[in-house]
Coordinates of all heavy atoms in Angstrom, one line a residue:
M2 N 24.4 19.2 -20.5 CA 23.0 19.1 -20.3 C 22.8 18.5 -18.8 O 23.5 17.6 -18.4 CB 22.4 18.1 -21.3 CG 20.9 18.0 -21.2 SD 20.2 16.9 -22.3 CE 20.2 17.8 -23.8
N3 N 21.8 19.1 -18.2 CA 21.5 18.7 -16.8 C 20.5 17.4 -16.9 O 19.4 17.5 -17.4 CB 20.8 19.8 -16.1 CG 20.6 19.5 -14.6 OD1 21.1 18.5 -14.1 ND2 20.0 20.4 -13.9
E4 N 21.0 16.3 -16.3 CA 20.2 15.1 -16.3 C 19.5 15.0 -15.0 O 20.1 15.2 -13.9 CB 21.0 13.9 -16.5 CG 21.6 13.8 -17.9 CD 22.4 12.5 -18.1 OE1 22.0 11.5 -17.5 OE2 23.3 12.5 -19.0
T5 N 18.2 14.7 -15.0 CA 17.4 14.5 -13.8 C 17.0 13.0 -13.8 O 16.6 12.5 -14.8 CB 16.2 15.4 -13.7 OG1 15.3 15.2 -14.8 CG2 16.6 16.9 -13.7
K6 N 17.0 12.5 -12.6 CA 16.6 11.1 -12.4 C 15.1 11.1 -12.0 O 14.8 11.7 -11.0 CB 17.4 10.4 -11.4 CG 18.9 10.2 -11.8 CD 19.6 9.4 -10.8 CE 21.1 9.2 -11.3 NZ 21.9 8.5 -10.3
T7 N 14.3 10.4 -12.8 CA 12.9 10.3 -12.5 C 12.6 8.8 -12.1 O 13.0 7.9 -12.8 CB 12.1 10.6 -13.7 OG1 12.4 11.9 -14.2 CG2 10.6 10.6 -13.4
E8 N 12.0 8.7 -10.9 CA 11.6 7.4 -10.4 C 10.2 7.1 -10.8 O 9.3 8.0 -10.7 CB 11.8 7.3 -8.9 CG 13.3 7.3 -8.5 CD 13.4 7.1 -7.0 OE1 13.4 5.9 -6.6 OE2 13.4 8.1 -6.3
C9 N 9.9 5.9 -11.2 CA 8.6 5.4 -11.5 C 8.2 4.3 -10.6 O 9.0 3.4 -10.4 CB 8.6 5.0 -13.0 SG 6.9 4.4 -13.5
F10 N 7.0 4.4 -10.0 CA 6.6 3.4 -9.1 C 5.3 2.8 -9.6 O 4.3 3.5 -9.7 CB 6.3 4.0 -7.7 CG 7.6 4.6 -7.1 CD1 7.8 5.9 -7.1 CD2 8.5 3.7 -6.5 CE1 9.0 6.4 -6.5 CE2 9.7 4.2 -5.9 CZ 9.9 5.6 -5.9
P11 N 5.3 1.5 -9.8 CA 4.0 0.8 -10.2 C 3.0 0.8 -9.1 O 3.4 1.0 -7.9 CB 4.5 -0.6 -10.6 CG 5.9 -0.8 -10.2 CD 6.4 0.6 -9.8
A12 N 1.8 0.6 -9.4 CA 0.7 0.7 -8.4 C 0.8 -0.4 -7.3 O 0.4 -0.1 -6.2 CB -0.6 0.7 -9.1
H13 N 1.3 -1.6 -7.7 CA 1.3 -2.7 -6.8 C 2.7 -3.3 -6.8 O 3.3 -3.5 -7.8 CB 0.3 -3.7 -7.1 CG -1.1 -3.2 -7.0 ND1 -1.8 -3.2 -5.8 CD2 -1.9 -2.6 -7.9 CE1 -3.0 -2.6 -6.0 NE2 -3.1 -2.2 -7.3
R14 N 3.2 -3.7 -5.6 CA 4.4 -4.4 -5.4 C 4.3 -5.5 -4.4 O 3.9 -5.3 -3.3 CB 5.5 -3.5 -5.1 CG 6.9 -4.2 -4.9 CD 8.0 -3.2 -4.8 NE 8.3 -2.6 -6.1 CZ 9.0 -1.5 -6.3 NH1 9.6 -0.9 -5.3 NH2 9.2 -1.0 -7.5
L15 N 4.6 -6.8 -4.8 CA 4.6 -7.9 -3.9 C 6.0 -8.5 -3.7 O 6.8 -8.3 -4.6 CB 3.7 -9.0 -4.5 CG 2.2 -8.7 -4.8 CD1 1.5 -9.8 -5.5 CD2 1.5 -8.3 -3.5
V16 N 6.2 -9.1 -2.6 CA 7.5 -9.8 -2.3 C 7.2 -11.2 -2.0 O 6.2 -11.5 -1.3 CB 8.2 -9.1 -1.1 CG1 7.5 -9.1 0.1 CG2 9.6 -9.7 -0.9
A17 N 8.0 -12.1 -2.5 CA 7.8 -13.6 -2.3 C 9.1 -14.2 -2.0 O 10.1 -13.9 -2.6 CB 7.1 -14.2 -3.5
E18 N 9.0 -15.3 -1.2 CA 10.2 -16.2 -1.0 C 9.9 -17.5 -1.6 O 8.8 -18.0 -1.5 CB 10.5 -16.3 0.5 CG 11.8 -17.1 0.7 CD 12.3 -17.0 2.1 OE1 12.2 -15.9 2.7 OE2 12.7 -18.0 2.6
F19 N 10.9 -18.1 -2.3 CA 10.7 -19.3 -3.0 C 11.4 -20.5 -2.4 O 12.3 -20.2 -1.5 CB 11.1 -19.1 -4.5 CG 10.3 -18.2 -5.2 CD1 10.6 -16.8 -5.2 CD2 9.1 -18.6 -5.9 CE1 9.8 -15.9 -5.9 CE2 8.3 -17.7 -6.6 CZ 8.7 -16.4 -6.6
A20 N 11.1 -21.7 -2.8 CA 11.8 -22.9 -2.2 C 13.3 -22.9 -2.4 O 14.0 -23.5 -1.5 CB 11.2 -24.1 -2.9
D21 N 13.8 -22.2 -3.4 CA 15.3 -22.1 -3.6 C 15.9 -21.1 -2.7 O 17.1 -20.9 -2.8 CB 15.6 -21.9 -5.0 CG 15.2 -20.6 -5.6 OD1 14.6 -19.8 -4.8 OD2 15.6 -20.3 -6.7
G22 N 15.1 -20.4 -1.9 CA 15.7 -19.4 -0.9 C 15.7 -18.0 -1.5 O 16.0 -17.0 -0.8
Q23 N 15.4 -17.8 -2.8 CA 15.3 -16.5 -3.4 C 14.2 -15.7 -2.8 O 13.1 -16.2 -2.6 CB 15.2 -16.5 -4.9 CG 16.4 -17.1 -5.6 CD 17.6 -16.1 -5.6 OE1 17.3 -14.9 -5.8 NE2 18.8 -16.6 -5.5
R24 N 14.4 -14.4 -2.5 CA 13.3 -13.5 -2.1 C 13.3 -12.4 -3.2 O 14.2 -11.6 -3.4 CB 13.6 -12.9 -0.8 CG 12.4 -12.0 -0.2 CD 12.7 -11.5 1.1 NE 12.7 -12.6 2.1 CZ 12.9 -12.5 3.4 NH1 13.1 -11.2 3.9 NH2 12.9 -13.5 4.2
L25 N 12.2 -12.3 -3.9 CA 12.1 -11.4 -5.1 C 10.8 -10.5 -5.0 O 9.9 -10.9 -4.3 CB 12.0 -12.2 -6.4 CG 13.1 -13.2 -6.6 CD1 12.8 -14.1 -7.8 CD2 14.4 -12.5 -6.8
T26 N 10.9 -9.3 -5.6 CA 9.7 -8.5 -5.7 C 9.1 -8.5 -7.1 O 9.8 -8.7 -8.1 CB 10.1 -7.0 -5.3 OG1 11.1 -6.5 -6.2 CG2 10.6 -6.9 -3.9
F27 N 7.8 -8.3 -7.2 CA 7.1 -8.3 -8.4 C 6.2 -7.1 -8.5 O 5.4 -6.8 -7.6 CB 6.3 -9.6 -8.5 CG 7.1 -10.8 -8.5 CD1 7.4 -11.4 -7.2 CD2 7.7 -11.3 -9.6 CE1 8.2 -12.5 -7.2 CE2 8.5 -12.4 -9.5 CZ 8.8 -13.0 -8.3
D28 N 6.2 -6.4 -9.6 CA 5.5 -5.2 -9.8 C 4.4 -5.4 -10.8 O 4.5 -6.2 -11.7 CB 6.4 -4.0 -10.3 CG 7.5 -3.7 -9.3 OD1 7.3 -4.0 -8.1 OD2 8.5 -3.2 -9.7
G29 N 3.3 -4.5 -10.7 CA 2.2 -4.6 -11.7 C 1.4 -3.4 -11.6 O 1.3 -2.7 -10.5
F30 N 0.7 -3.1 -12.7 CA -0.3 -2.0 -12.6 C -1.5 -2.4 -11.8 O -2.2 -1.5 -11.3 CB -0.7 -1.6 -14.1 CG 0.4 -0.9 -14.8 CD1 1.0 -1.6 -15.9 CD2 0.9 0.3 -14.5 CE1 2.1 -1.0 -16.6 CE2 1.9 0.9 -15.2 CZ 2.5 0.2 -16.2
T31 N -1.8 -3.7 -11.7 CA -2.9 -4.2 -10.9 C -2.3 -5.3 -10.0 O -1.2 -5.8 -10.2 CB -4.0 -4.8 -11.7 OG1 -3.5 -6.0 -12.4 CG2 -4.6 -3.8 -12.7
Y32 N -3.0 -5.6 -8.9 CA -2.6 -6.6 -8.0 C -2.5 -8.0 -8.7 O -1.5 -8.7 -8.5 CB -3.6 -6.8 -6.8 CG -3.3 -7.9 -5.9 CD1 -2.4 -7.7 -4.8 CD2 -3.9 -9.2 -6.1 CE1 -2.1 -8.8 -4.0 CE2 -3.6 -10.2 -5.2 CZ -2.7 -10.0 -4.2 OH -2.4 -11.1 -3.4
E33 N -3.5 -8.2 -9.6 CA -3.5 -9.5 -10.3 C -2.2 -9.6 -11.2 O -1.7 -10.7 -11.4 CB -4.8 -9.6 -11.2 CG -6.0 -9.8 -10.4 CD -6.5 -8.5 -9.7 OE1 -6.1 -7.4 -10.1 OE2 -7.3 -8.6 -8.7
Q34 N -1.8 -8.5 -11.9 CA -0.7 -8.5 -12.7 C 0.6 -8.9 -11.9 O 1.4 -9.7 -12.4 CB -0.5 -7.2 -13.4 CG 0.5 -7.2 -14.5 CD 0.5 -5.8 -15.2 OE1 0.4 -4.8 -14.6 NE2 0.8 -5.8 -16.5
A35 N 0.8 -8.3 -10.8 CA 1.9 -8.6 -9.9 C 1.9 -10.0 -9.4 O 2.9 -10.7 -9.4 CB 2.0 -7.6 -8.7
H36 N 0.7 -10.5 -9.1 CA 0.5 -11.8 -8.5 C 0.8 -12.9 -9.6 O 1.4 -13.9 -9.4 CB -0.9 -12.0 -8.0 CG -1.1 -13.2 -7.1 ND1 -1.5 -14.4 -7.7 CD2 -0.9 -13.4 -5.8 CE1 -1.5 -15.3 -6.7 NE2 -1.2 -14.7 -5.6
D37 N 0.3 -12.6 -10.9 CA 0.6 -13.5 -12.0 C 2.1 -13.6 -12.3 O 2.6 -14.7 -12.5 CB -0.2 -13.1 -13.2 CG -1.7 -13.3 -13.1 OD1 -2.1 -14.0 -12.2 OD2 -2.4 -12.7 -13.9
A38 N 2.8 -12.5 -12.2 CA 4.2 -12.5 -12.4 C 4.9 -13.3 -11.4 O 5.9 -14.1 -11.6 CB 4.8 -11.1 -12.5
M39 N 4.4 -13.2 -10.1 CA 5.0 -14.0 -9.0 C 4.8 -15.5 -9.2 O 5.7 -16.3 -9.0 CB 4.4 -13.5 -7.7 CG 4.8 -14.2 -6.5 SD 4.0 -13.6 -5.0 CE 2.3 -14.0 -5.3
E40 N 3.6 -15.8 -9.6 CA 3.3 -17.3 -9.8 C 4.1 -17.8 -11.0 O 4.5 -19.0 -11.0 CB 1.8 -17.5 -10.1 CG 1.0 -17.3 -8.8 CD -0.5 -17.6 -9.0 OE1 -0.9 -17.6 -10.2 OE2 -1.2 -17.7 -8.0
A41 N 4.4 -17.0 -12.0 CA 5.1 -17.5 -13.2 C 6.6 -17.8 -12.8 O 7.3 -18.6 -13.4 CB 5.1 -16.4 -14.3
A42 N 7.1 -17.1 -11.8 CA 8.5 -17.3 -11.3 C 8.7 -18.6 -10.6 O 9.8 -19.1 -10.4 CB 8.9 -16.2 -10.4
Q43 N 7.6 -19.3 -10.3 CA 7.7 -20.7 -9.7 C 8.4 -21.7 -10.6 O 9.0 -22.6 -10.1 CB 6.3 -21.2 -9.2 CG 5.7 -20.4 -8.1 CD 4.4 -21.0 -7.7 OE1 4.4 -21.7 -6.7 NE2 3.3 -20.7 -8.4
D44 N 8.3 -21.5 -11.9 CA 8.9 -22.4 -12.8 C 10.4 -22.4 -12.6 O 11.1 -23.5 -12.7 CB 8.6 -22.0 -14.3 CG 7.1 -22.2 -14.6 OD1 6.4 -23.0 -13.9 OD2 6.6 -21.6 -15.5
E45 N 11.0 -21.3 -12.3 CA 12.4 -21.1 -12.2 C 12.9 -21.3 -10.8 O 14.0 -21.9 -10.5 CB 12.9 -19.8 -12.7 CG 14.4 -19.6 -12.7 CD 14.8 -18.2 -13.2 OE1 14.0 -17.6 -13.9 OE2 15.9 -17.8 -12.9
H46 N 12.1 -20.9 -9.8 CA 12.6 -20.9 -8.4 C 11.9 -21.9 -7.4 O 12.2 -21.9 -6.3 CB 12.4 -19.5 -7.8 CG 13.2 -18.4 -8.5 ND1 14.5 -18.3 -8.4 CD2 12.8 -17.5 -9.4 CE1 14.9 -17.3 -9.2 NE2 13.9 -16.8 -9.8
G47 N 11.0 -22.6 -7.9 CA 10.2 -23.6 -7.1 C 9.0 -22.9 -6.4 O 8.6 -21.8 -6.8
D48 N 8.4 -23.7 -5.5 CA 7.1 -23.2 -4.9 C 7.4 -22.0 -4.1 O 8.4 -21.8 -3.5 CB 6.5 -24.3 -4.0 CG 6.0 -25.5 -4.8 OD1 5.7 -25.3 -6.0 OD2 5.9 -26.6 -4.3
I49 N 6.3 -21.2 -4.0 CA 6.3 -20.0 -3.1 C 6.1 -20.4 -1.7 O 5.1 -21.1 -1.4 CB 5.2 -19.0 -3.5 CG1 5.4 -18.5 -5.0 CG2 5.1 -17.8 -2.6 CD1 4.2 -17.7 -5.5
T50 N 7.0 -20.1 -0.8 CA 6.9 -20.4 0.6 C 6.1 -19.4 1.3 O 5.4 -19.7 2.3 CB 8.3 -20.6 1.3 OG1 9.0 -19.4 1.1 CG2 9.0 -21.8 0.6
W51 N 6.2 -18.1 1.0 CA 5.3 -17.1 1.5 C 5.4 -15.9 0.6 O 6.3 -15.7 -0.2 CB 5.7 -16.7 2.9 CG 7.0 -16.0 3.1 CD1 8.2 -16.6 3.4 CD2 7.3 -14.6 2.9 NE1 9.2 -15.6 3.4 CE2 8.7 -14.4 3.1 CE3 6.6 -13.5 2.5 CZ2 9.3 -13.2 3.0 CZ3 7.2 -12.2 2.4 CH2 8.5 -12.1 2.7
F52 N 4.3 -15.0 0.6 CA 4.4 -13.8 -0.1 C 3.5 -12.7 0.7 O 2.7 -13.1 1.5 CB 3.9 -13.9 -1.5 CG 2.4 -14.0 -1.7 CD1 1.6 -12.9 -1.9 CD2 1.8 -15.2 -1.6 CE1 0.2 -13.0 -2.1 CE2 0.4 -15.4 -1.7 CZ -0.4 -14.2 -2.0
D53 N 3.8 -11.5 0.4 CA 3.0 -10.4 1.1 C 3.2 -9.1 0.2 O 4.1 -9.1 -0.6 CB 3.5 -10.2 2.5 CG 2.5 -9.5 3.4 OD1 1.4 -9.1 2.9 OD2 2.8 -9.3 4.6
G54 N 2.4 -8.1 0.6 CA 2.6 -6.8 -0.1 C 3.8 -6.1 0.6 O 4.0 -6.2 1.8
V55 N 4.5 -5.4 -0.2 CA 5.7 -4.6 0.2 C 5.3 -3.4 1.1 O 4.3 -2.7 0.7 CB 6.6 -4.2 -0.9 CG1 7.7 -3.2 -0.5 CG2 7.2 -5.4 -1.7
T56 N 5.9 -3.2 2.2 CA 5.7 -2.0 3.0 C 7.1 -1.3 3.2 O 8.0 -1.9 3.7 CB 5.1 -2.3 4.3 OG1 3.8 -2.9 4.1 CG2 5.0 -1.0 5.2
D57 N 7.3 -0.1 2.6 CA 8.5 0.6 2.7 C 8.2 2.1 2.6 O 7.0 2.5 2.8 CB 9.6 0.2 1.7 CG 9.1 0.4 0.2 OD1 8.1 1.0 0.0 OD2 9.8 -0.1 -0.7
Q58 N 9.1 2.9 2.2 CA 8.9 4.4 2.2 C 7.9 4.8 1.0 O 7.4 5.9 1.1 CB 10.2 5.2 2.1 CG 10.9 5.1 0.7 CD 11.9 3.9 0.7 OE1 11.8 2.9 1.4 NE2 12.9 4.0 -0.2
H59 N 7.7 3.9 0.1 CA 6.8 4.2 -1.0 C 5.5 3.4 -1.1 O 4.5 3.7 -1.7 CB 7.5 4.0 -2.4 CG 8.8 4.8 -2.5 ND1 8.8 6.2 -2.6 CD2 10.1 4.4 -2.5 CE1 10.0 6.6 -2.7 NE2 10.8 5.6 -2.6
Y60 N 5.5 2.2 -0.4 CA 4.4 1.3 -0.4 C 3.9 1.0 1.0 O 4.6 0.9 1.9 CB 4.8 0.0 -1.1 CG 5.1 0.1 -2.6 CD1 6.3 0.5 -3.0 CD2 4.0 -0.1 -3.5 CE1 6.5 0.6 -4.4 CE2 4.3 0.0 -4.8 CZ 5.5 0.4 -5.3 OH 5.7 0.6 -6.6
E61 N 2.6 0.7 1.0 CA 2.0 0.3 2.3 C 1.1 -1.0 1.9 O 0.1 -0.9 1.2 CB 1.1 1.3 2.9 CG 0.6 0.9 4.3 CD -0.1 2.0 5.1 OE1 0.3 3.1 4.9 OE2 -0.9 1.7 5.9
N62 N 1.6 -2.1 2.4 CA 0.9 -3.4 2.1 C 0.7 -3.6 0.6 O -0.3 -4.1 0.2 CB -0.4 -3.5 2.9 CG -0.9 -5.0 3.0 OD1 -0.1 -5.9 2.9 ND2 -2.1 -5.2 3.2
G63 N 1.8 -3.3 -0.1 CA 1.8 -3.6 -1.6 C 1.2 -2.6 -2.5 O 1.2 -2.7 -3.7
V64 N 0.6 -1.5 -1.9 CA -0.1 -0.5 -2.7 C 0.7 0.8 -2.6 O 1.1 1.3 -1.5 CB -1.5 -0.2 -2.2 CG1 -2.2 0.9 -3.1 CG2 -2.3 -1.5 -2.3
F65 N 1.1 1.4 -3.8 CA 1.8 2.7 -3.8 C 1.0 3.7 -3.1 O -0.2 4.0 -3.4 CB 2.1 3.1 -5.3 CG 2.9 4.3 -5.4 CD1 4.1 4.4 -4.8 CD2 2.4 5.4 -6.1 CE1 4.9 5.6 -4.9 CE2 3.2 6.5 -6.3 CZ 4.4 6.6 -5.7
H66 N 1.6 4.4 -2.1 CA 0.9 5.3 -1.2 C 0.2 6.4 -1.9 O -0.8 6.9 -1.5 CB 1.7 5.8 0.0 CG 2.8 6.7 -0.5 ND1 2.6 8.0 -0.7 CD2 4.1 6.5 -0.8 CE1 3.7 8.6 -1.1 NE2 4.7 7.7 -1.1
A67 N 0.7 6.9 -3.0 CA 0.1 8.0 -3.8 C -1.1 7.5 -4.5 O -2.0 8.4 -4.9 CB 1.1 8.6 -4.8
A68 N -1.3 6.2 -4.7 CA -2.5 5.7 -5.4 C -3.7 5.6 -4.4 O -4.8 5.4 -4.9 CB -2.2 4.3 -6.0
V69 N -3.5 5.7 -3.1 CA -4.5 5.6 -2.1 C -5.2 7.0 -2.0 O -4.5 8.0 -1.8 CB -4.0 5.2 -0.8 CG1 -5.1 5.1 0.3 CG2 -3.3 3.8 -0.9
P70 N -6.5 7.1 -2.2 CA -7.1 8.4 -2.1 C -7.1 8.9 -0.7 O -7.0 8.2 0.3 CB -8.6 8.1 -2.5 CG -8.8 6.6 -2.3 CD -7.4 6.0 -2.5
P71 N -7.0 10.3 -0.6 CA -6.9 10.9 0.8 C -8.2 10.7 1.5 O -9.3 10.5 0.9 CB -6.6 12.3 0.5 CG -7.2 12.6 -0.9 CD -7.0 11.3 -1.6
P72 N -8.2 10.8 2.8 CA -9.4 10.7 3.6 C -10.4 11.8 3.2 O -9.9 12.9 2.8 CB -9.0 10.7 5.0 CG -7.7 11.3 5.0 CD -7.1 11.0 3.7
P73 N -11.7 11.6 3.4 CA -12.6 12.7 3.0 C -12.4 13.9 3.9 O -12.0 13.8 5.1 CB -14.0 12.0 3.3 CG -13.7 10.8 4.1 CD -12.3 10.4 3.9
H74 N -12.7 15.0 3.4 CA -12.5 16.3 4.1 C -13.8 16.9 4.3 O -14.6 17.2 3.4 CB -11.6 17.2 3.3 CG -11.4 18.6 3.9 ND1 -10.7 18.8 5.1 CD2 -11.9 19.8 3.6 CE1 -10.7 20.0 5.4 NE2 -11.4 20.7 4.5
S75 N -14.1 17.3 5.5 CA -15.3 17.9 5.9 C -15.1 19.4 5.8 O -14.2 20.0 6.3 CB -15.8 17.5 7.3 OG -16.9 18.3 7.7
P76 N -16.1 20.1 5.2 CA -15.9 21.6 5.1 C -16.2 22.3 6.5 O -16.0 23.4 6.7 CB -17.0 22.0 4.1 CG -18.0 20.9 4.1 CD -17.2 19.7 4.5
F77 N -16.7 21.5 7.4 CA -17.1 22.0 8.8 C -16.0 21.5 9.8 O -15.6 20.4 9.7 CB -18.5 21.6 9.2 CG -19.5 22.0 8.2 CD1 -20.1 21.0 7.3 CD2 -19.9 23.3 8.0 CE1 -21.0 21.4 6.4 CE2 -20.8 23.7 7.1 CZ -21.4 22.7 6.3
P78 N -15.7 22.3 10.7 CA -14.7 21.8 11.8 C -15.4 20.7 12.6 O -16.6 20.8 12.9 CB -14.4 23.1 12.6 CG -15.5 24.0 12.3 CD -16.0 23.7 11.0
I79 N -14.6 19.8 13.0 CA -15.1 18.7 13.9 C -14.6 19.0 15.3 O -13.4 19.1 15.5 CB -14.7 17.3 13.4 CG1 -15.2 17.1 12.0 CG2 -15.1 16.2 14.4 CD1 -14.6 15.8 11.3
I80 N -15.6 19.2 16.2 CA -15.2 19.5 17.6 C -15.5 18.3 18.4 O -16.6 17.8 18.5 CB -16.1 20.7 18.0 CG1 -15.8 21.9 17.1 CG2 -15.8 21.1 19.5 CD1 -16.7 23.1 17.3
D81 N -14.5 17.9 19.1 CA -14.6 16.7 20.0 C -14.9 17.3 21.4 O -14.0 17.9 22.1 CB -13.3 15.9 20.0 CG -13.4 14.7 20.9 OD1 -14.5 14.3 21.3 OD2 -12.3 14.1 21.2
T82 N -16.1 17.0 21.9 CA -16.5 17.5 23.2 C -16.5 16.4 24.3 O -17.1 16.6 25.3 CB -17.8 18.2 23.1 OG1 -18.8 17.3 22.6 CG2 -17.8 19.4 22.2
T83 N -16.0 15.3 23.9 CA -16.1 14.1 24.9 C -15.3 14.3 26.1 O -15.7 13.8 27.2 CB -15.6 12.8 24.2 OG1 -14.3 13.0 23.7 CG2 -16.6 12.4 23.0
G84 N -14.3 15.2 26.1 CA -13.5 15.4 27.3 C -13.8 16.7 28.0 O -13.2 17.0 29.0
D85 N -14.8 17.4 27.6 CA -15.2 18.7 28.2 C -16.2 18.5 29.3 O -17.4 18.1 29.0 CB -15.8 19.7 27.1 CG -16.0 21.1 27.6 OD1 -15.8 21.3 28.8 OD2 -16.5 21.9 26.8
P86 N -15.9 18.8 30.5 CA -16.9 18.5 31.6 C -18.0 19.6 31.6 O -19.1 19.3 32.2 CB -16.0 18.7 32.9 CG -14.8 19.5 32.5 CD -14.6 19.2 31.0
N87 N -17.9 20.7 30.9 CA -18.9 21.7 30.9 C -19.9 21.5 29.8 O -20.8 22.3 29.7 CB -18.3 23.1 30.8 CG -17.4 23.4 32.1 OD1 -17.8 23.0 33.2 ND2 -16.3 24.1 31.9
F88 N -19.6 20.6 28.9 CA -20.5 20.3 27.8 C -21.8 19.6 28.2 O -21.7 18.5 28.8 CB -19.8 19.6 26.7 CG -20.6 19.3 25.5 CD1 -20.9 20.3 24.6 CD2 -21.1 18.0 25.2 CE1 -21.7 20.0 23.4 CE2 -21.9 17.7 24.1 CZ -22.2 18.7 23.2
E89 N -22.9 20.1 27.8 CA -24.2 19.4 28.1 C -24.7 18.9 26.8 O -25.0 19.7 25.9 CB -25.2 20.3 28.8 CG -24.8 20.8 30.1 CD -25.8 21.8 30.7 OE1 -27.0 21.7 30.3 OE2 -25.4 22.5 31.6
Q90 N -24.9 17.6 26.7 CA -25.5 17.0 25.5 C -27.0 17.4 25.4 O -27.7 17.2 26.3 CB -25.3 15.5 25.5 CG -25.7 14.9 24.2 CD -25.4 13.4 24.2 OE1 -24.9 12.8 25.2 NE2 -25.6 12.8 23.1
Q91 N -27.3 17.9 24.3 CA -28.7 18.3 24.0 C -29.4 17.4 23.1 O -28.8 16.9 22.1 CB -28.8 19.7 23.4 CG -28.2 20.8 24.4 CD -28.2 22.2 23.8 OE1 -28.6 22.3 22.6 NE2 -27.8 23.2 24.5
S92 N -30.6 17.1 23.4 CA -31.4 16.2 22.6 C -32.0 16.9 21.4 O -32.4 18.1 21.6 CB -32.4 15.4 23.4 OG -33.2 14.7 22.5
L93 N -32.1 16.4 20.3 CA -32.7 17.0 19.1 C -34.2 16.7 19.1 O -34.9 17.2 18.3 CB -32.1 16.6 17.8 CG -30.6 17.0 17.7 CD1 -30.1 16.4 16.4 CD2 -30.5 18.4 17.7
L94 N -34.7 15.9 20.0 CA -36.1 15.5 20.1 C -36.9 16.5 20.9 O -36.6 17.2 21.8 CB -36.3 14.1 20.7 CG -35.7 13.0 19.9 CD1 -35.8 11.7 20.6 CD2 -36.3 12.9 18.5

């Protein structure tokens, strides 16, 4: 049987460093869920010295890149004429 490996990426991933020197990542379906898991780890590892959203090939500032909506798409072409010396700006008034 052919086995395929499927990767699953939660919507949010935070990284934190603790007083004991451990640097750990925390995942969640929401930012709050990942943050709560990070705070709960303080019981075992001591105070959080710093934390931030993970940025790597799958995440940008803690948010899974596929969860970010694409930029709006205009059905009309956008023409930039700011560098054209022959373009005359016309007033609509």
Side-chain angles (χ1 to χ4, degrees):
M2 182 182 286
N3 189 6
E4 292 184 28
T5 59
K6 293 183 180 181
T7 304
E8 292 185 83
C9 180
F10 298 100
H13 297 272
R14 180 169 285 167
L15 300 175
V16 60
E18 187 169 318
F19 295 88
D21 66 355
Q23 293 284 326
R24 187 177 293 182
L25 305 171
T26 59
F27 300 91
D28 299 336
F30 292 111
T31 64
Y32 175 85
E33 291 78 18
Q34 190 178 34
H36 195 270
D37 290 346
M39 180 180 63
E40 287 182 345
Q43 291 184 98
D44 294 339
E45 184 178 342
H46 298 285
D48 291 339
I49 297 170
T50 57
W51 67 264
F52 77 94
D53 202 358
V55 170
T56 298
D57 62 10
Q58 71 270 24
H59 302 292
Y60 289 88
E61 185 169 334
N62 199 22
V64 179
F65 183 56
H66 68 84
V69 177
H74 176 69
S75 173
F77 305 105
I79 298 173
I80 301 170
D81 182 15
T82 58
T83 56
D85 186 1
N87 297 325
F88 179 75
E89 294 180 22
Q90 188 173 2
Q91 298 177 357
S92 174
L93 297 175
L94 298 176

